[in-house]
Amino acid sequence: MNVLMVCLGNICRSPLAEGILKSKVDSKHTFVDSAGTAGYHVGYAPDPRSIKVANDHGIDISSQRCRKFTVSDFDVFDIIYVMDKSNYGNIIGLARNKADQQKIKLLLSEINLKNEEVPDPYHDSDDGFEKVYIMIDKACTEIAARLENR
């Protein structure tokens, strides 16, 4: 199973989601990656605040590098989790067919928060990164349980 986490810049939310889900699944059976809908930070490490909050929870995401989502990601990934409705709209707009569209889900829909979004903490305080971590962690716990039961 290949899972992609997507946010706007691939420096705050999706790197956290990648790191959190990786920490919860068997890497022999599940490949996890992340990408952004915009190419602002391609090649850069995650935001230092994301790295810090991940480290505070025992997860190292410092070696991740930002990349932009590409249409070929539809060929590689079985599930594409987006952090908010704007990301959803951007990715659904790149879908080539119904099969591509069916791969895209809001991350928090996995914990029955269908219309909820993971807020972008980029312009927030460090506390905002902790709140985002907790939201993503809850969703990733559910995702990991589902993946392990396949």
Side-chain angles (χ1 to χ4, degrees):
M1 179 67 64
N2 296 331
V3 180
L4 183 64
M5 302 295 191
V6 178
C7 71
L8 176 64
N10 192 216
I11 60 167
C12 296
R13 297 169 289 174
S14 58
L16 281 173
E18 175 186 345
I20 292 167
L21 187 58
K22 279 183 175 177
S23 75
K24 296 177 182 292
V25 298
D26 182 346
S27 63
K28 293 178 191 156
H29 303 291
T30 305
F31 172 72
V32 184
D33 195 11
S34 63
T37 59
Y40 307 131
H41 308 286
V42 171
Y44 289 95
D47 186 290
R49 297 166 293 178
S50 286
I51 292 172
K52 181 187 180 312
V53 76
N55 280 336
D56 289 349
H57 291 275
I59 299 170
D60 182 6
I61 63 169
S62 63
S63 64
Q64 291 182 25
R65 292 297 173 262
C66 172
R67 72 177 187 85
K68 187 175 180 187
F69 181 89
T70 65
V71 172
S72 64
D73 285 324
F74 287 115
D75 299 324
V76 175
F77 294 95
D78 302 298
I79 304 171
I80 300 168
Y81 287 110
V82 296
M83 301 299 129
D84 62 39
K85 292 173 189 171
S86 176
N87 306 146
Y88 185 89
N90 290 332
I91 301 302
I92 206 90
L94 295 173
R96 302 163 295 190
N97 52 47
K98 191 164 186 79
D100 287 354
Q101 292 173 355
Q102 291 174 333
K103 294 180 178 189
I104 309 163
K105 297 181 178 186
L106 280 169
L107 181 72
L108 296 184
S109 70
E110 293 297 346
I111 52 173
N112 294 320
L113 297 174
K114 302 266 186 249
N115 293 314
E116 290 293 320
E117 302 175 305
V118 178
D120 190 344
Y122 186 75
H123 296 290
D124 203 346
S125 65
D126 291 352
D127 185 51
F129 281 79
E130 179 65 26
K131 288 176 185 173
V132 162
Y133 181 95
I134 291 167
M135 296 171 87
I136 293 171
D137 184 60
K138 286 179 185 175
C140 286
T141 297
E142 184 63 32
I143 292 165
R146 289 181 186 169
L147 292 172
E148 296 300 313
N149 290 327
R150 287 188 149 209

